[in-house]
Amino acid sequence: MIRVDNLVKNYGDVKAVRDISFQVNDGEILGFLGENGAGKSTTLKVITGYLSPTEGNVIVDDLNILDNSLEIRRRVGYLPELNPLYGEMMVYDLLEFTAQIRDIQGAEFRRALDRVVDQCGLSGVIHREIRACSKGYKQRIGLATAMLHDPDILILDEPTVGLDPNQIVEIRELVKGLGKEKTLIISSHILQEIEATVDRIIIIHSGEIVADGTSGELLSSLRGNTQLTLEVKQAGDESVQQLSTRFEGVALLTDVAENGNRVLTLEYDRTIDPREDVFHFAKESGWVILEMSQARVQLEEVFRNLTLEGAVHA
Ligand SMILES: Nc1ncnc2c1ncn2[C@@H]1O[C@H](COP(=O)(O)OP(=O)(O)O)[C@@H](O)[C@H]1O
Ligand SMILES: [Mg+2]
């Protein structure tokens, strides 16, 4: 269990994190989402004990970061942003070096090595120079070093940055597998890259939490979030006017002439579905329906709404 309590972190005059609180339960995969500069890395560095908080505290299991920073580091695996690696080293040597720092030796090291090579799919590159490995492999190597001491908690700061779409899918699958056993926090500034992987999403903006929930919960917090687009022929002004007031909770958003036809956009709450009524109305009014399509607002829109400049901060 990780609990962040009223965390504040300033760098001199820069208020990077402004009084945030949240909890991550055992076995949960949390997506920590925010634009560049939102305060993600700063928060993660405090949780992992690499920075001390200006105010507030972080509790990991029965320990807190002010008094037990070293012990917390033993329980947490941390893949920093940009994943700095020594390019000229062999993958094996890096893992051995990391194990030495963590005081993992002999048979214990060989067991740990087998485990991370297996978990991170490194058997093909173990005797290769790190700089000769692809970016996707470099991320897996970073992950392996973060997991050598078999921590219950893994914190990955933007693990998909700079990867191509195939590599992103690979890392996503890897992370999903790890999430079955561990508590995970994964940060990203790109919603789509974590949406499918995580159980819950926290959105941070200018150092404050602006949303916390499952993707379904975040979506339903938006109102009027389903749109129906209709392209119709033979629709007169009067009947279009009628449609705009005919159904409770259904608003006519736009009415555009296109190639002699009319394209109408209706908007309504995601809890109702007026498509059948609209169809019958169109038929009674003598319209010819050329196209009718319903689009739900995507999570991306929630993110954009919440992080629009000036949207928060009262
Ligand atoms: N070492 C630092 N010194 C001063 N300001 C910093 C430092 N690190 C980060 N910041 C500032 O703190 C804010 C949050 O940064 P960061 O936590 O890195 O955000 P994110 O990881 O979400 O991109 C930004 O305004 C950034 O410029
Ligand atoms: Mg960052």
Side-chain angles (χ1 to χ4, degrees):
M1 193 266 301
I2 304 167
R3 209 175 77 219
V4 173
D5 270 346
N6 298 102
L7 175 67
V8 174
K9 180 67 192 180
N10 301 332
Y11 299 103
D13 291 341
V14 179
K15 293 180 161 56
V17 174
R18 305 163 189 249
D19 195 2
I20 64 169
S21 299
F22 62 92
Q23 186 169 322
V24 194
N25 296 319
D26 286 343
E28 200 173 20
I29 308 185
L30 175 78
F32 200 50
L33 190 69
E35 296 164 309
N36 288 323
K40 301 181 296 296
S41 296
T42 302
T43 304
L44 300 183
K45 282 178 196 160
V46 175
I47 296 176
T48 50
Y50 284 83
L51 281 180
S52 54
T54 305
E55 286 172 37
N57 207 341
V58 175
I59 288 94
V60 176
D61 300 330
D62 49 344
L63 307 166
N64 80 79
I65 206 76
L66 300 177
D67 303 322
N68 319 97
S69 174
L70 272 180
E71 179 53 31
I72 287 180
R73 284 202 213 185
R74 276 190 208 111
R75 299 193 187 182
V76 174
Y78 172 44
L79 180 64
E81 199 173 19
L82 306 174
N83 180 20
L85 294 171
Y86 304 94
E88 69 284 359
M89 257 181 153
M90 297 287 192
V91 175
Y92 177 91
D93 294 337
L94 175 70
L95 291 170
E96 189 180 43
F97 174 67
T98 308
Q100 275 165 8
I101 292 173
R102 292 229 171 242
D103 203 21
I104 303 169
Q105 292 168 7
E108 196 193 348
F109 167 62
R110 280 188 296 279
R111 272 198 304 277
L113 182 70
D114 284 349
R115 179 173 44 76
V116 298
V117 165
D118 181 49
Q119 282 172 318
C120 302
L122 292 182
S123 57
V125 298
I126 190 76
H127 296 297
R128 198 176 286 175
E129 266 190 1
I130 292 167
R131 63 180 161 206
C133 297
S134 69
K135 270 194 174 155
Y137 267 110
K138 282 185 184 140
Q139 277 308 59
R140 292 157 181 252
I141 296 162
L143 205 52
T145 63
M147 287 169 48
L148 263 179
H149 60 301
D150 204 11
D152 290 331
I153 297 171
L154 268 181
I155 295 188
L156 315 178
D157 196 357
E158 306 233 16
T160 48
V161 139
L163 302 185
D164 69 32
N166 288 332
Q167 294 167 337
I168 288 173
V169 172
E170 279 174 31
I171 293 291
R172 190 183 290 161
E173 290 306 310
L174 178 55
V175 166
K176 256 190 181 165
L178 295 173
K180 293 195 177 103
E181 294 167 19
K182 299 187 187 294
T183 306
L184 259 123
I185 303 180
I186 309 164
S187 78
S188 179
H189 65 283
I190 300 169
L191 176 65
Q192 292 91 327
E193 291 187 5
I194 56 165
E195 192 181 344
T197 320
V198 302
D199 300 319
R200 200 175 115 215
I201 295 174
I202 284 180
I203 302 178
I204 182 172
H205 181 63
S206 301
E208 291 181 71
I209 290 176
V210 293
D212 180 348
T214 62
S215 58
E217 285 166 352
L218 297 188
L219 273 175
S220 58
S221 68
L222 272 194
R223 286 166 50 83
N225 56 8
T226 306
Q227 290 190 355
L228 186 70
T229 304
L230 278 170
E231 185 173 355
V232 289
K233 236 158 104 169
Q234 297 165 18
D237 288 343
E238 201 178 324
S239 54
V240 169
Q241 184 61 36
Q242 274 172 11
L243 175 65
S244 70
T245 54
R246 175 74 175 261
F247 303 111
E248 170 122 19
V250 180
L252 178 65
L253 268 195
T254 58
D255 172 9
V256 186
E258 221 173 84
N259 314 321
N261 305 322
R262 274 177 117 129
V263 178
L264 309 171
T265 315
L266 300 170
E267 191 177 54
Y268 40 87
D269 196 87
R270 70 197 318 271
T271 54
I272 64 171
D273 183 356
R275 282 176 298 175
E276 233 176 288
D277 292 339
V278 169
F279 170 80
H280 289 301
F281 174 87
K283 201 169 150 219
E284 282 159 25
S285 311
W287 300 359
V288 177
I289 298 179
L290 301 172
E291 197 175 317
M292 178 156 157
S293 67
Q294 179 176 256
R296 293 213 183 279
V297 170
Q298 301 295 311
L299 200 49
E300 181 63 29
E301 212 140 321
V302 181
F303 180 42
R304 245 188 295 131
N305 273 330
L306 288 170
T307 56
L308 274 182
E309 217 38 66
V312 274
H313 290 305

